[in-house]
Amino acid sequence: VQLVESGGGLVQAGGSLRLTCVVSGTTPEDYAINWYRQAPGKEHKEISCIQHRDGTLYYADSVKGRFTLYTGATKDTVFLQMNNLTPDDTAVYYCTVSTACVRGQVLHVGQGAQVTISS
């Protein structure tokens, strides 16, 4: 199983970025696809997730209303549209395959994408 992320970068506060995760080697419909992030000096935290088998779509409170997770037509590509970014969103963002949203077991992890928001 391979997860390849892209789309990170440096933007000013208030700006937008879109992260992309391409999943290969597994059937995305059978699992949950999550976005985690890890800020400097902090633990990783799940911020969004999609679970196709029951339609679950999850957002952490910290990103609700600003971030949108959606998939491509074939469901093996997952996007995270991030709007109205703040310096608190600075982190390494990871795409993962897990057994479920929120409290699932992480099975595979992408290489991470650095997102830096300047004030």
Side-chain angles (χ1 to χ4, degrees), residues 66-80:
R66 300 186 299 123
F67 289 14
T68 303
L69 186 156
Y70 60 100
T71 63
T74 58
K75 298 182 179 178
D76 60 356
T77 301
V78 177
F79 304 94
L80 185 68

Side-chain angles (χ1 to χ4, degrees), residues 12-15 66-67 83-90 93 116-118:
Q12 289 187 328
R66 300 186 299 123
F67 289 14
N83 298 328
N84 195 20
L85 289 160
T86 76
D88 288 341
D89 295 315
T90 295
Y93 285 69
T116 304
I117 312 303
S118 63

Side-chain angles (χ1 to χ4, degrees), residues 50-68:
I50 187 166
Q51 191 167 287
H52 292 296
R53 60 178 178 267
D54 63 3
T56 295
L57 188 59
Y58 164 79
Y59 296 100
D61 288 342
S62 58
V63 305
K64 201 172 293 182
R66 300 186 299 123
F67 289 14
T68 303

Side-chain angles (χ1 to χ4, degrees), residues 6-23:
S6 60
L10 169 66
V11 297
Q12 289 187 328
S16 298
L17 283 172
R18 188 180 73 168
L19 300 179
T20 302
C21 174
V22 179
V23 181

Side-chain angles (χ1 to χ4, degrees), residues 1-48:
V1 178
Q2 188 174 22
L3 296 87
V4 179
E5 300 153 9
S6 60
L10 169 66
V11 297
Q12 289 187 328
S16 298
L17 283 172
R18 188 180 73 168
L19 300 179
T20 302
C21 174
V22 179
V23 181
S24 61
T26 189
T27 306
E29 292 89 339
D30 293 341
Y31 299 98
I33 308 296
N34 327 73
W35 285 99
Y36 283 81
R37 70 183 182 187
Q38 186 168 23
K42 296 186 178 180
E43 294 186 353
H44 62 271
K45 179 179 172 61
E46 183 177 10
I47 57 168
S48 189

